[in-house]
């Protein structure tokens, strides 16, 4: 069978079988999910190796060739994204075994099934080469994501409902823009559309269509004024849902925008104001996200606001409009996903031991949870941008790209947000390192939680050291030569 | 004024979807009741579906089913409505029904936790538990 299908099929089958197993043999549910995720990860690695040696892989759904049929197109960059999505989901799944089995004791089957479905949706978004199919997969990923986030206690359902309203409006605006593009070109296939649009006359409706599509995707990725849903949804929900979705959702939406920018929308179709607005919003997101992160007592909420700033990094990088900055934005998708994964996994373990994630509860963590905290330090250092770690290299590309085209305000934003991250994380470290733990605190580190976390943290160093290789093999070939 | 009126009447289907969309958006922003917000969301999504349906239709054309099953004559596509937007909307309707389902399930959970569906009352309860 075709490799592209094999990466997604285990997840779909797994999600179906998990529901069935939930009715008859509930002990099978968790292993089924693990098998599905492991298979998906293995096949995506195989696909990545295949794409690297033989070039872009395509799969025609039902054998209908484009532009009539739906097509899955995997180039080196999207194959890398597939590996990232499958592997980070697998890490989360393994690290939060007890939460999934005990926290949702009655609903484990439903939870596992939704988790697999949301991962399948995200992988489909990355793989598809058809605009309408993209909409459907965005909704598949988002709907199961809303349900996952709504699983938590207390205010989680309300935060998730809020996210649902905003997310649906964003997806609807995207759909509206696709409709306009369909009127203008008569096709929905991305490659076909790129050809027609490059030759088509540039009109106000073309500009309108592009602007509406980008607006919809900005809402979905929580760019600054539309970020309201993100902190609530990630900080109120169960730690496992946040750790699963935080590395994926915003990053995959950024991926979609990059794909459209470099593959579908020719330069002339982009309304002139859009790059300026995007730079403004990106810079504003960095400042506002850092500032609001400063005011939070809850550590997960603080991390969510840092995530808002990170979205600003990537939006800025891709709209600066030179090769270096675009490379930075694409590399930062990988870097940010890996850092967010590490930090949310670590905070999830800590939340299980210490309950509420306020700063006062973090006393003496270094003494009682040394491994978790070491991984957390690596993640935080990468977020700040300390050299051998992954976050430094993507930030370096972004900074030099911004410098090349004279976007000094954006540069200042990058530097200020790094400084703010230093303050935020060292405030945390200070409490956790110097203050004595209370008498009654007995933290337990279980190997099943520490291993995935340690692997993610070590990957930050490995990926950082091999970031030149990643740029050469995965990214450089994708950026069109016209982008200097 | 004349120009504006001709613009308005010649593209009335597009104006209709824009008005519907704005009604939906207004309900989502201004209404305090969570279920009313969801009704607004539903109106908003339906407006976009109507827009797609309007793309496909043509004056004087018929449904896209071939009348002559033996295909004797040449098929003239002007006679038939473009079926693709309608088919796409079939999928979008399914998506919006699913969205509404998930949203109503979440509303039930919210009601279980807070015992009310009015947004200001919920915020009040969160602030002073």
């Amino acid at each position: 069978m075709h490799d592209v299908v094999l990466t997604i099929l285990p997840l779909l089958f797994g999600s179906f079988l998990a529901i069935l197993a939930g009715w008859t043999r509930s002990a099978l549910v968790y292993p089924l999910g693990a098998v599905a995720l492991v298979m998906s990860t293995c096949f995506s690695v195989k696909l990545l190796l295949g794409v690297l040696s033989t070039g872009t892989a395509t799969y025609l759904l039902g054998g209908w060739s484009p532009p009539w049929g739906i097509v899955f197109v995997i180039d080196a960059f999207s194959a890398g994204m597939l590996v990232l999505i499958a592997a980070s989901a697998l890490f989360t799944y393994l690290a939060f075994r007890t939460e999934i089995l005990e926290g949702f004791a009655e609903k484990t089957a439903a939870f596992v099934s939704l988790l697999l479905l949301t991962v399948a949706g995200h992988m489909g978004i990355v793989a598809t080469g058809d605009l309408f199919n993209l909409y459907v997969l965005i909704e598949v990923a988002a709907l199961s994501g809303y349900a996952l986030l709504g699983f938590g206690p207390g205010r989680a359902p309300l935060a998730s409902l809020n996210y649902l309203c905003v997310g649906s409006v964003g997806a609807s605006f995207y759909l509206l823009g696709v409709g306009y593009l369909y009127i203008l070109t008569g096709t929905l296939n991305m490659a076909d559309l790129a050809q027609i649009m490059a030759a088509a006359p540039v009109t106000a409706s073309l500009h309108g269509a592009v602007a509406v599509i980008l607006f919809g995707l900005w809402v979905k990725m929580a760019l600054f004024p539309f970020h309201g849903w993100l902190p609530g949804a990630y900080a109120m929900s169960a730690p496992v849902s946040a750790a699963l979705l935080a590395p994926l959702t915003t990053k995959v939406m950024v991926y979609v925008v990059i794909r459209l920018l470099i593959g579908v929308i020719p330069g002339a179709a982009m309304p002139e104001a859009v790059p300026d607005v995007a730079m403004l919003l990106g810079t504003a997101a960095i400042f506002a996200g850092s500032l609001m992160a400063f005011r939070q007592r809850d550590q997960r909420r603080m991390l969510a606001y840092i995530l808002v700033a990170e979205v600003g990094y990537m939006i800025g990088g891709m709209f600066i409009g030179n090769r270096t900055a675009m490379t930075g934005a694409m590399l930062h998708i990988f870097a940010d996903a890996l850092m967010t994964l590490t930090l949310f996994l670590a905070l999830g373990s800590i939340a299980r031991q210490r309950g509420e994630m306020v700063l006062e509860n973090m006393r003496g963590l270094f003494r009682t949870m040394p491994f978790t905290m070491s991984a957390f330090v690596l993640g935080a250092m990468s977020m700040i941008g300390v050299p051998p770690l992954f976050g430094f290299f993507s930030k370096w590309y972004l900074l030099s790209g911004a410098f090349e085209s004279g976007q000094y305000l954006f540069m200042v934003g990058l530097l200020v947000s790094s400084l703010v991250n230093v303050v935020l994380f060292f405030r945390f470290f200070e409490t956790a390192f110097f203050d004595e733990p209370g008498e009654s605190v007995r933290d337990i580190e279980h190997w099943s939680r520490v291993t995935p976390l340690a692997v993610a943290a070590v990957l930050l160093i490995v990926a950082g050291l091999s970031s030149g290789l990643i740029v050469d093999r995965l990214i450089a070939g994708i950026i069109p030569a016209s982008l200097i | 004024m004349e120009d504006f009126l001709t613009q308005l009447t010649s593209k009335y289907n597009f104006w209709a979807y824009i008005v519907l969309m704005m009604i939906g958006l207004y309900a989502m922003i201004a209404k305090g009741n969570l279920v009313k917000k969801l009704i607004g969301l539903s109106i908003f999504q339906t407006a976009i579906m109507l827009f797609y349906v309007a793309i496909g239709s043509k004056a004087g054309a018929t449904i896209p089913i071939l009348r002559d099953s033996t295909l004797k004559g040449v098929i003239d596509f002007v006679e038939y409505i473009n079926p693709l937007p309608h088919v796409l909307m079939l999928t979008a309707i399914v998506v919006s029904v699913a969205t509404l389902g998930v949203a109503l399930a979440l509303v039930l959970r919210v009601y279980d936790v807070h015992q009310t569906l009015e947004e200001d009352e919920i915020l009040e309860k969160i602030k002073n538990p």
Side-chain angles (χ1 to χ4, degrees):
Chain A
M1 209 189 279
H2 202 285
D3 279 348
V4 180
V5 192
L6 280 177
T7 57
I8 298 173
L9 216 52
L11 299 170
L12 291 177
F13 267 122
S15 124
F16 178 65
L17 290 177
I19 289 280
L20 281 188
W23 282 333
T24 51
R25 300 256 163 84
S26 44
L28 277 179
V29 170
Y30 186 84
L32 259 175
V35 168
L37 282 168
V38 167
M39 277 173 76
S40 176
T41 313
C42 290
F43 283 120
S44 2
V45 172
K46 180 165 173 269
L47 179 66
L48 175 65
L49 297 176
V51 168
L52 283 180
S53 60
T54 59
T56 306
T58 52
Y59 175 77
L60 311 176
L61 255 77
W64 292 86
S65 59
W68 312 117
I70 294 168
V71 62
F72 278 6
V73 187
I74 314 279
D75 54 23
F77 182 47
S78 32
M81 285 293 293
L82 288 183
V83 174
L84 180 80
I85 293 169
S88 65
L90 179 64
F91 285 176
T92 317
Y93 191 75
L94 294 179
F96 287 100
R97 180 173 175 277
T98 35
E99 260 93 349
I100 294 173
L101 286 177
E102 290 165 13
F104 314 115
E106 296 288 303
K107 295 170 183 148
T108 308
F111 189 88
V112 170
S113 171
L114 283 170
L115 188 147
L116 294 178
L117 208 58
T118 194
V119 178
H122 283 107
M123 292 179 79
I125 294 174
V126 170
T128 189
D130 183 278
L131 285 182
F132 187 77
N133 197 232
L134 183 63
Y135 164 76
V136 175
L137 287 165
I138 285 176
E139 286 293 52
V140 168
L143 277 174
S144 28
Y146 305 142
L148 282 179
L149 290 170
F151 256 105
R155 283 161 66 183
L158 187 64
S160 177
L161 188 67
N162 191 8
Y163 175 25
L164 185 144
C165 287
V166 179
S168 299
V169 170
S172 299
F173 269 110
Y174 169 80
L175 183 63
L176 185 65
V178 170
Y180 274 106
L181 279 189
Y182 181 72
I183 299 183
L184 292 167
T185 61
T187 182
L188 291 167
N189 182 275
M190 285 188 200
D192 208 26
L193 196 69
Q195 276 184 359
I196 295 177
M197 273 170 71
V202 176
T203 56
S205 19
L206 189 62
H207 280 168
V210 171
V212 171
I213 285 185
L214 286 178
F215 174 73
L217 291 172
W218 285 349
V219 173
K220 289 285 295 182
M221 76 167 74
L223 183 60
F224 163 57
F226 324 116
H227 69 279
W229 57 268
L230 188 143
Y234 289 164
M236 302 291 172
S237 62
V240 49
S241 314
L244 178 78
L245 290 172
L248 299 185
T249 309
T250 52
K251 257 61 72 182
V252 167
M253 287 302 140
V254 170
Y255 166 88
V256 170
V257 175
I258 288 185
R259 173 100 311 178
L260 293 180
L261 280 186
I262 62 182
V264 180
I265 301 165
M270 181 68 67
E272 268 175 41
V274 165
D276 296 339
V277 172
M279 286 307 299
L280 199 69
L281 292 185
T283 316
I286 296 175
F287 282 111
S290 310
L291 198 72
M292 287 184 291
F294 218 68
R295 296 175 41 205
Q296 304 306 323
R297 283 174 69 246
D298 183 295
Q299 295 301 302
R300 273 209 293 165
R301 195 168 260 273
M302 176 197 92
L303 207 55
Y305 276 110
I306 292 178
L307 219 58
V308 173
E310 299 283 321
V311 171
Y313 285 23
M314 289 179 270
I315 278 290
M318 70 177 97
F319 279 98
I320 282 176
N322 63 30
R323 206 180 174 83
T324 324
M326 183 60 96
T327 311
M330 287 160 90
L331 196 61
H332 202 73
I333 293 183
F334 293 102
D336 190 37
L338 210 53
M339 302 184 297
T340 316
L341 177 72
T342 314
L343 291 175
F344 268 94
L345 281 183
L347 279 185
S349 292
I350 298 169
R352 184 178 167 82
Q353 306 294 337
R354 297 288 175 99
E356 210 188 339
M357 297 299 292
V358 292
L359 206 56
E360 297 82 61
N361 275 3
M362 302 295 138
R363 295 202 173 97
L365 269 176
F366 275 97
R367 195 159 313 160
T368 55
M369 303 178 87
F371 293 107
T372 308
M373 282 311 288
S374 321
F376 188 87
V377 168
L378 278 178
M381 290 295 175
S382 176
M383 212 56 139
I384 293 165
V386 176
L389 294 158
F390 206 3
F392 166 75
F393 292 95
S394 55
K395 219 178 247 188
W396 181 253
Y397 275 108
L398 286 172
L399 268 176
S400 30
F403 181 72
E404 275 174 30
S405 51
Q407 295 281 0
Y408 297 114
L409 191 62
F410 184 65
M411 279 182 72
V412 173
L414 286 174
L415 295 172
V416 167
S417 108
S418 306
L419 287 177
V420 170
N421 284 357
V422 171
V423 176
L424 288 173
F425 285 121
F426 276 79
R427 194 168 67 184
F428 183 89
F429 295 158
E430 194 194 355
T431 315
F433 194 80
F434 290 109
D435 291 357
E436 292 292 320
E439 287 291 316
S440 58
V441 171
R442 287 270 179 279
D443 292 335
I444 308 152
E445 278 187 312
H446 195 268
W447 64 269
S448 67
R449 283 169 171 280
V450 175
T451 316
L453 182 59
V455 174
V458 170
L459 270 180
L460 277 173
I461 304 176
V462 175
L465 293 178
S466 55
S467 61
L469 193 71
I470 295 177
V471 170
D472 280 348
R473 302 299 296 275
L474 298 188
I475 295 174
I478 312 300
I479 303 175
S482 55
L483 201 70
I484 305 160
Chain B
M1 193 64 200
E2 285 279 299
D3 285 354
F4 179 70
L5 276 180
T6 37
Q7 278 281 326
L8 200 66
T9 46
S10 67
K11 298 196 172 89
Y12 63 91
N13 47 353
F14 289 165
W15 290 109
Y17 102 79
I18 289 174
V19 169
L20 265 180
M21 233 171 106
M22 290 307 123
I23 292 173
L25 212 53
Y26 167 78
M28 285 182 75
I29 295 167
K31 295 289 172 189
N33 187 303
L34 293 178
V35 174
K36 284 184 184 167
K37 271 182 196 293
L38 293 185
I39 293 173
L41 179 66
S42 220
I43 295 174
F44 183 82
Q45 288 176 325
T46 311
I48 291 171
M49 285 164 206
L50 288 176
F51 161 68
Y52 266 81
V53 171
I55 297 173
S57 70
K58 278 177 214 159
T62 176
I63 46 174
I65 296 173
L66 297 181
R67 267 173 295 184
D68 188 357
S69 58
T70 54
L71 293 181
K72 267 178 251 160
V74 181
I75 300 170
D76 185 5
F77 62 84
V78 181
E79 283 178 25
Y80 301 101
I81 291 170
N82 181 1
L84 185 70
H86 299 70
V87 176
L88 296 183
M89 281 313 102
L90 221 53
T91 316
I93 288 168
V94 174
V95 168
S96 84
V97 168
T99 313
L100 203 62
V102 174
L104 288 174
L106 284 173
V107 166
L108 273 179
R109 289 286 316 275
V110 172
Y111 188 78
D112 281 348
V113 175
H114 302 284
Q115 299 301 321
T116 174
L117 286 179
E118 296 296 328
E119 203 170 38
D120 40 353
E121 288 175 26
I122 294 176
L123 289 179
E124 188 65 28
K125 284 193 177 183
I126 288 173
K127 267 183 202 151
N128 318 308

